[in-house]
Amino acid sequence: MTDVRPAVRVDGLGEAGVLDALFHSDQGGHEQVVLCQDRASGLKAVIAIHSTTLGPALGGTRFHAYADEARPEEAALRDALNLARGMSYKNAMAGLEHGGGKAVIIGDPDLIKTEELLLAYGRFVAALGGRYVTACDVGTYVADMDVVARECRWTTGRSPERGGAGDSSVLTAFGVFQGMRASAAHRWGSPDLTGRTVGVAGVGKVGHLLVDLLVEAGARVVVTDVRDEAVRRVLSAHPGTAVAASTNELIATPGLDIYAPCALGGALDDTTVPLLTAGVVCGAANNQLDHPGVEKDLADRGILYAPDYVVNSGGVIQVADELHGFDFARAKEKAALIYDTTLEIFARAEAEGVPPAVAADRIAEHRMAQVGTR
């Protein structure tokens, strides 16, 4: 059983080439990677299937421009590979009969997203014959999945009117909230978040719903987001919410109890970890650990890290339930188990003397290995 970190980035694609990364890198091992292009609609996409050991790969479709990268296409490929691997671990820890996959559509969704492009993307997913089941992610929404589903029956996250589960952000936020409660119970002896100060970086689809739950639970909330309109939406709903000008300002807030990264990955790195004032990190973003060793840096500083792919699995639990005739109460009941799973990880980490991220990996790998040897 290998000790593969799902959050480790597959770097060097430009220098070594994608074949070296996939076939020779310790972080490779993906079953299938599909590069998609439809010139008529402008579609450029990557579909990465990491594993189908537990069942068909399940993971969302990210729509992102990678405009700040020197090589956007290679950055998108790295992202798809990392996210697909993370989905294998996430689905295993969530107890789902699904492997891990992820897709990335390259480009600014505000500029190039069209019905024709989404239909073309749906045809590429359909061509995989059910090996990959798609859903929403950053930059894609329920209405988009309704369009994709016109060409591909292996599409989840559709609207209730089209037989779907609707916005999976609802149970993603709920699951992160359960992870926070478990973290509080382990760190402070009680899951009660009343009076705790929680910093939420990124108040988009998931983050603003998480703020709703935190305010309802009696927590004090500080938010930040690169988009002013996202912050304004939170302030409109919760006028008492404090605002930090930047993520660096947020993580250095005196008296912060919990830090919740809820934007893009790589939020925890050599620059941010030394600045953290919070005793707990628990958020919705995928691949929060920028590189191997960050989990140890957090542990060395006495910061309790709730593994991202465990606590943010409520969304994938929701869309997986859609494949069996969606029942929100049933999906929410399963997402509530994230609380118990998070406590199990903390207990194993203490027993084995390893960071929680390593303990979570070992549990997930054990499940995949058991199924793989049947």
Side-chain angles (χ1 to χ4, degrees):
M1 182 170 64
T2 58
D3 188 16
V4 180
R5 289 288 313 119
V8 171
R9 296 175 178 275
V10 180
D11 290 318
L13 296 184
E15 296 80 7
V18 66
L19 294 182
D20 274 355
L22 290 174
F23 296 153
H24 303 295
S25 166
D26 289 341
Q27 295 304 319
H30 295 68
E31 292 181 11
Q32 188 175 7
V33 179
V34 180
L35 306 180
C36 313
Q37 182 168 226
D38 179 71
R39 292 186 182 276
S41 66
L43 172 73
K44 290 183 180 179
V46 180
I47 302 173
I49 297 175
H50 178 256
S51 172
T52 57
T53 299
L54 296 177
L58 172 62
T61 298
R62 178 163 294 190
F63 205 137
H64 190 61
Y66 302 92
D68 56 347
E69 299 282 351
R71 297 176 175 177
E73 290 83 4
E74 291 180 3
L77 178 53
R78 285 196 302 271
D79 213 12
L81 295 175
N82 288 319
L83 291 166
R85 184 186 305 108
M87 289 305 304
S88 289
Y89 284 71
K90 180 185 294 191
N91 293 338
M93 286 302 299
L96 301 177
E97 294 181 353
H98 286 283
K102 205 79 171 187
V104 172
I105 298 176
I106 306 166
D108 186 337
D110 292 333
L111 298 178
I112 72 168
K113 186 193 293 183
T114 63
E115 182 177 280
E116 291 73 22
L117 183 147
L118 293 172
L119 291 171
Y121 169 68
R123 290 191 290 272
F124 279 108
V125 177
L128 293 170
R131 282 176 51 77
Y132 169 61
V133 181
T134 196
C136 300
D137 196 74
V138 175
T140 58
Y141 301 86
V142 170
D144 299 328
M145 292 302 107
D146 281 347
V147 176
V148 172
R150 284 158 52 187
E151 292 284 356
C152 176
R153 64 188 181 92
W154 293 288
T155 304
T156 60
R158 297 163 295 155
S159 66
E161 295 77 16
R162 299 294 178 91
D167 186 4
S168 62
S169 301
V170 175
L171 288 190
T172 302
F174 176 74
V176 174
F177 181 69
Q178 296 307 317
M180 281 190 185
R181 293 180 62 249
S183 299
H186 184 82
R187 184 64 188 258
W188 298 298
S190 169
D192 188 5
L193 297 176
T194 302
R196 296 290 175 192
T197 301
V198 182
V200 182
V203 284
K205 288 197 292 185
V206 175
H208 86 275
L209 294 173
L210 179 59
V211 171
D212 292 343
L213 294 170
L214 289 168
V215 171
E216 184 180 352
R220 295 188 294 266
V221 182
V222 186
V223 302
T224 191
D225 198 296
V226 295
R227 300 157 302 164
D228 291 339
E229 66 272 18
V231 173
R232 286 196 296 268
R233 177 172 61 171
V234 170
L235 293 178
S236 176
H238 307 292
T241 302
V243 178
S246 67
T247 298
N248 282 349
E249 180 181 306
L250 174 67
I251 63 178
T253 300
L256 197 66
D257 293 304
I258 301 172
Y259 171 50
C262 294
L264 297 178
L268 302 171
D269 58 24
D270 296 336
T271 300
T272 56
V273 170
L275 299 176
L276 283 170
T277 59
V280 170
V281 174
C282 178
N286 288 308
N287 294 344
Q288 292 170 25
L289 304 179
D290 187 64
H291 61 78
V294 175
E295 69 276 16
K296 185 177 184 303
D297 293 339
L298 290 165
D300 288 346
R301 288 206 57 215
I303 298 171
L304 181 66
Y305 172 64
D308 49 36
Y309 66 86
V310 175
V311 301
N312 69 13
S313 63
V316 75
I317 290 171
Q318 179 170 330
V319 297
D321 192 86
E322 182 178 329
L323 296 171
H324 308 286
F326 183 61
D327 183 314
F328 183 81
R330 178 178 62 201
K332 186 175 183 181
E333 183 177 0
K334 188 161 190 175
L337 296 176
I338 290 171
Y339 178 90
D340 300 305
T341 302
T342 306
L343 286 178
E344 177 190 354
I345 289 166
F346 293 151
R348 178 160 179 172
E350 284 195 345
E352 298 182 0
V354 297
V358 175
D361 292 351
R362 290 177 178 176
I363 296 170
E365 287 162 6
H366 180 66
R367 179 166 190 246
M368 288 187 278
Q370 279 187 316
V371 174
T373 57
R374 289 177 186 172

